């Protein structure tokens, strides 16, 4: 295993088998949590979901979720390091221990502060969603149908309220943001400590390992404060570079720390906002992503290109057909050659209409970005695309046959 990139070295069959065992074998469409946990294959993996949100200029919500997930993983690693060193949270961070006992925290099971906490509850998983087990754990109520961060209304409101530059003007690509060995927040552009840097993306599509926290020593409280501050400055500060929309009850008007000590709010500071973003994505963007990638294999630009090509071949078929009729061409069987432009035209037009290319479905390919293909690895999606492709091809054959027969049997009349 390459320690820097997290990519298995060549010949590491054991590592490859372990990673492949992470994938779910589903006979259904996956949930959003399964996608975020990187347990699904293309075209329903995290990479394709990110590309889908990028196409809608709504990837900031997913970036926020991923950054908060990494922040919470750092908090878990900090608490785990404390247990390994034989210290307790009460000794190292008494303010947070008091806060967790008084107000509750979704880290409480790890701290043995909640009644009935066990080692199983304290199990650390870097891919856990961080969603509260009980609705009472949410300190701020979340609307059952929140305004989605990817909805047109939210985008319009964000555009009118934001006072900063274009939030996508200097960001990393999707690969660099969520790829293998994802760098800490401080190493990404948009942070307050340095100039942006763009490195060539060499990650494989859809990272196959969870978000990695690369460290050589135990996590300290100062690192947690620094991580939380960067998230606040990047996403939540009014007019921030990549400000996301949140309802008034979840907005943070200031960063709750002093220059000398860490606030006990740091571990739980963004948890409610993360839950809101998760639910918003789950209700709005994710269903549209499933419709686009599980029932289709074309991008909007790919559909438009096929629409233009289909109309061109249809026009060519009509020109050839009417020419043969009005030139009274004999023998009449020669008119059957118009089957070729009509067949191409119907395939292209129906592919554009259904966002599904039968040829790509047969080859088990799907478009990620315009005219760039990815292999469909989810077996259930393969079945869905193949069955829809058969139906589209049957319709194309019927329409082509009807047009061909009409132009073949019409009597010729030389003008």
């Amino acid at each position: 295993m390459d320690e820097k990139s997290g990519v298995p070295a060549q010949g590491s069959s054991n590592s490859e088998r372990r990673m492949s065992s992470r994938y779910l074998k589903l006979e259904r469409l996956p949930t959003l949590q399964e996608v975020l946990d990187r347990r699904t294959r293309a075209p329903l993996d995290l990479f394709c979901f990110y590309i889908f949100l990028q196409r809608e200029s709504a990837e900031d919500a997913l970036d926020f979720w991923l950054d908060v997930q990494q922040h919470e993983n750092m908090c878990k690693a900090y608490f785990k390091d404390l247990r390994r060193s034989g210290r307790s949270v009460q000794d190292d961070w008494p303010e947070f221990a008091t806060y967790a006992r008084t107000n509750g925290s979704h880290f409480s099971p790890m701290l043995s502060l909640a009644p009935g906490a066990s080692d199983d509850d304290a199990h650390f998983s870097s891919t856990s969603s961080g969603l509260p087990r009980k609705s009472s754990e949410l300190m701020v109520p979340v609307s059952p149908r929140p305004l989605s961060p990817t909805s047109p209304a939210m985008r319009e409101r964000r555009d009118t309220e934001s006072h900063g530059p274009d939030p996508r003007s200097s960001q990393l690509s999707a690969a660099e943001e969520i790829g293998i060995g994802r760098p800490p927040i401080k190493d990404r552009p948009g942070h307050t400590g340095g100039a942006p840097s763009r490195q060539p993306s060499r990650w494989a599509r859809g990272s196959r390992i969870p978000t990695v926290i690369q460290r050589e020593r135990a996590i300290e409280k100062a690192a947690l404060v620094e991580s939380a501050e960067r998230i606040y400055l990047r996403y939540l500060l009014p007019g921030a570079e990549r400000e996301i929309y949140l309802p008034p009850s979840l907005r943070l008007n200031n960063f709750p720390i002093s220059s000398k000590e860490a606030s006990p709010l740091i571990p739980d500071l963004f948890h409610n906002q993360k839950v809101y973003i998760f639910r918003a994505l789950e209700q709005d963007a994710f269903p549209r992503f499933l419709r686009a990638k599980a029932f289709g294999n074309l991008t909007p630009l790919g559909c438009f290109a096929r629409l233009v090509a289909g109309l061109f071949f249809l026009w060519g078929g009509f020109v050839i057909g009417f020419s043969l009729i009005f030139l009274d061409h004999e023998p009449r069987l020669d008119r059957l050659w118009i089957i070729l432009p009509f067949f191409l035209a119907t395939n292209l037009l129906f592919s554009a209409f259904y966002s599904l290319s039968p040829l790509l479905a047969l080859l088990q390919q799907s478009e990620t970005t315009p005219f760039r293909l990815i292999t469909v690895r989810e077996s259930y999606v393969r079945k869905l695309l193949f069955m829809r492709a058969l139906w589209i091809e049957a319709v194309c054959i019927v329409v082509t046959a009807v047009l061909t027969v009409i132009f073949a049997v019409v009597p010729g009349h030389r003008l």
Side-chain angles (χ1 to χ4, degrees):
M1 176 75 73
D2 187 338
E3 295 180 357
K4 293 183 179 180
S5 65
V7 180
Q10 291 183 356
S12 57
S13 58
N14 292 335
S15 298
E16 292 176 359
R17 283 196 295 269
R18 283 196 299 270
M19 287 193 302
S20 62
S21 66
R22 293 181 54 84
Y23 292 125
L24 298 172
K25 295 182 179 179
L26 300 175
E27 289 300 323
R28 56 171 175 81
L29 295 177
T31 63
L32 175 59
Q33 189 58 58
E34 291 166 347
V35 172
L36 295 176
D37 286 347
R38 296 170 172 86
R39 302 189 66 191
T40 55
R41 296 175 182 264
L44 300 182
D45 56 357
L46 184 58
F47 169 79
C48 291
F49 186 41
Y50 194 98
I51 294 297
F52 176 82
L53 293 178
Q54 265 193 335
R55 195 163 63 230
E56 299 190 345
S57 300
E59 73 276 14
D60 290 348
L62 181 56
D63 277 331
F64 172 78
W65 194 97
L66 292 171
D67 284 343
V68 174
Q69 180 67 53
Q70 185 175 3
H71 171 73
E72 292 185 351
N73 287 345
M74 290 180 63
C75 295
K76 292 175 184 178
Y78 164 76
F79 295 133
K80 208 175 182 185
D81 289 339
L82 283 182
R83 291 194 304 172
R84 286 176 176 172
S85 65
R87 294 177 295 164
S88 67
V89 178
Q90 183 64 47
D91 298 331
D92 194 73
W93 200 350
E95 296 86 1
F96 177 72
T98 302
Y99 166 81
R101 288 195 186 97
T102 304
N103 302 290
S105 168
H106 72 287
F107 291 107
S108 294
M110 296 188 65
L111 312 176
S112 299
L113 297 175
S118 64
D119 291 338
D120 292 338
D121 294 328
H123 177 68
F124 170 63
S125 170
S126 62
T127 61
S128 63
S129 66
L131 292 175
R133 292 186 176 88
K134 298 179 182 179
S135 59
S136 60
E137 294 181 17
L138 282 175
M139 292 176 286
V140 181
V142 179
S143 171
R145 295 189 61 82
L147 179 62
S148 168
T150 62
S151 64
M154 189 285 292
R155 289 199 295 268
E156 181 180 356
R157 179 169 183 174
R158 184 172 62 183
D159 292 339
T160 56
E161 293 181 353
S162 175
H163 303 289
D166 184 353
R168 280 157 295 282
S169 60
S170 61
Q171 301 309 312
L172 289 176
S173 64
E176 295 167 296
E177 287 286 348
I178 63 175
I180 291 177
R182 181 182 180 185
I185 302 173
K186 65 180 181 179
D187 296 332
R188 285 183 252 157
H191 74 278
T192 58
S197 61
R198 181 179 291 272
Q199 300 295 333
S201 173
R202 299 188 60 184
W203 72 304
R205 170 194 36 70
S207 151
R208 301 187 179 184
I209 59 176
T211 302
V212 176
I213 301 177
Q214 298 178 352
R215 59 192 179 101
E216 298 178 355
R217 58 182 181 178
I219 301 294
E220 300 178 352
K221 285 190 293 184
L224 304 184
V225 175
E226 184 181 6
S227 170
E229 186 176 18
R230 288 196 181 99
I231 292 175
Y232 174 77
L233 294 176
R234 192 179 193 190
Y235 300 104
L236 303 178
L237 179 69
E241 180 186 10
R242 302 181 65 183
E243 183 184 4
I244 61 173
Y245 171 79
L246 291 170
S249 60
L250 293 178
R251 294 176 185 173
L252 299 179
N253 297 321
N254 52 67
F255 192 68
I257 64 169
S258 67
S259 59
K260 296 182 179 180
E261 61 181 11
S263 167
L265 294 173
I266 291 300
D268 293 295
L269 186 59
F270 310 114
H271 185 69
N272 292 330
Q273 290 82 356
K274 175 188 169 186
V275 173
Y276 173 85
I277 292 297
F278 180 91
R279 293 182 179 177
L281 290 173
E282 188 177 42
Q283 292 178 11
D284 180 50
F286 189 66
R288 289 186 286 107
F289 167 70
L290 291 180
R291 286 195 297 269
K293 306 306 292 185
F295 298 98
N297 55 19
L298 298 177
T299 61
L301 185 58
C303 292
F304 179 76
R306 284 166 175 81
L307 175 63
V308 173
L311 292 175
F312 174 79
F313 280 108
L314 184 64
W315 172 80
F318 282 129
V319 168
I320 295 174
F322 281 112
S323 298
L324 293 177
I325 291 174
F326 293 123
L327 291 175
D328 195 15
H329 181 79
E330 295 293 342
R332 189 174 296 183
L333 289 178
D334 288 347
R335 298 186 192 178
L336 294 179
W337 286 106
I338 62 175
I339 193 175
L340 296 179
F342 281 146
F343 183 72
L344 290 173
T346 54
N347 269 274
L348 291 169
L349 291 175
F350 279 106
S351 295
F353 182 77
Y354 289 103
S355 299
L356 174 62
S357 170
L359 178 60
L360 292 182
L362 181 63
L363 299 176
Q364 297 181 354
Q365 300 291 308
S366 179
E367 284 188 344
T368 52
T369 54
F371 312 114
R372 293 193 176 184
L373 303 179
I374 194 173
T375 301
V376 178
R377 301 190 181 278
E378 282 286 354
S379 58
Y380 184 69
V381 177
R382 287 180 183 176
K383 295 177 185 178
L384 289 177
L385 295 179
F386 183 72
M387 296 304 296
R388 283 174 59 83
L390 288 181
W391 183 83
I392 291 174
E393 200 61 37
V395 174
C396 291
I397 292 174
V398 171
V399 175
T400 301
V402 170
L403 292 174
T404 303
V405 169
I406 291 175
F407 279 91
V409 301
V410 170
H413 179 74
R414 190 173 185 87
L415 296 178

